[in-house]
Amino acid sequence: MDLDDSASIGGFFALRTTAPETGGAHQPLARLYAGGDAPLTARVDRVAARLGAPERRVGASVAQLGLAARLWSTALGPAALHGRFPDLTPGTLHWDGALTSPDDLWWSGTGTRPATVAELRAAVQEAHLVPLHAAFARDGRISPRLLWGNAGSALAGALRELVRWARAHDRPEAAERATVLVRGLLDHPDLARTVRGPALRRASCCLYYRCPSGGLCGDCVFDHPPRTGLERRPPAP
């Protein structure tokens, strides 16, 4: 499958099919899901330090949001453009949390799956997000509602980027297919009510506003940053 046009949508949609020349410590995500948590712990540490996060769960939330966005985007892009998407099994999708897109992921598989709601749900939500959320839960205290809220926001964000690209490149059928697929994916107990309204504004918060330089995300549930008082507290251990 030619993934170049999907990559042109944006960095989150890019998926390498060979190991990056920059090197890295890529491991199959299956290893992470099976309990090899060291790369995830290092990723959360790195994000939390970069943000100056006052609580570890803030770094965990932002790290999970980014990876969820990558997983949804690399499947939804080809699904919308071609009617098929890569079979992103945890054993063939390799990740290095020290790198950013597109070098963070590479796919060693060759198979594809038809672009249906059921296939996308099985390939991304069930095969990746469910065990990924369990891995984040092992890392530290973080609520399932926050994690699924991030997953819904990431899916909605992928749709917005794809629709914007499709309009700019005269691909109305891609925008329509993506919209139908995302509508179906959001009609699931774990993702239902995570976003709302025609703008798909999220219904929960990713906690980014708690960071010293943080603000509100484009789809934030808040209209104004809440006053937390965290600036008067020592950082959580």
Side-chain angles (χ1 to χ4, degrees):
M1 172 179 285
D2 184 0
L3 299 175
D4 289 345
D5 52 356
S6 296
S8 71
I9 300 171
F12 275 77
F13 291 81
L15 180 62
R16 291 186 175 275
T17 54
T18 59
E21 296 178 359
T22 54
H26 291 81
Q27 296 184 13
L29 281 168
R31 191 175 303 174
L32 171 66
Y33 302 157
D37 296 333
L40 183 66
T41 299
R43 176 65 174 173
V44 174
D45 289 342
R46 188 175 296 106
V47 172
R50 187 178 72 241
L51 297 175
E55 301 173 272
R56 182 173 178 77
R57 67 187 181 117
V58 178
S61 173
V62 174
Q64 181 261 349
L65 177 58
L67 187 49
R70 289 287 279 135
L71 292 167
W72 282 128
S73 299
T74 52
L76 186 63
L81 296 181
H82 303 296
R84 300 191 69 85
F85 65 96
D87 188 9
L88 305 172
T89 63
T92 60
L93 194 58
H94 304 255
W95 177 66
D96 181 359
L99 303 178
T100 57
S101 60
D103 290 341
D104 60 330
L105 290 180
W106 71 274
W107 178 53
S108 61
T110 57
T112 63
R113 302 175 74 151
T116 67
V117 171
E119 291 286 338
L120 281 166
R121 179 173 292 132
V124 179
Q125 182 175 339
E126 296 172 3
H128 286 283
L129 294 181
V130 170
L132 180 65
H133 292 184
F136 273 97
R138 293 193 299 269
D139 178 80
R141 182 175 62 88
I142 189 165
S143 77
R145 181 173 182 268
L146 185 153
L147 293 174
W148 284 115
N150 283 352
S153 173
L155 178 58
L159 175 62
R160 278 190 289 269
E161 287 300 309
L162 210 158
V163 168
R164 186 178 300 118
W165 180 94
R167 289 173 176 168
H169 291 80
D170 195 25
R171 293 288 304 273
E173 81 290 348
E176 181 179 355
R177 184 181 291 131
T179 300
V180 170
L181 290 170
V182 170
R183 186 182 300 123
L185 289 166
L186 290 173
D187 186 22
H188 182 278
D190 289 332
L191 294 169
R193 296 181 295 280
T194 57
V195 295
R196 57 193 180 190
L200 299 180
R201 185 174 180 179
R202 65 180 297 158
S204 61
C205 180
C206 70
L207 306 178
Y208 174 65
Y209 77 91
R210 292 175 179 261
C211 299
S213 59
L216 299 185
C217 303
D219 65 343
C220 187
V221 64
F222 297 122
D223 293 320
H224 307 284
R227 294 181 62 84
T228 65
L230 288 173
E231 68 279 358
R232 296 189 296 274
R233 303 178 190 173

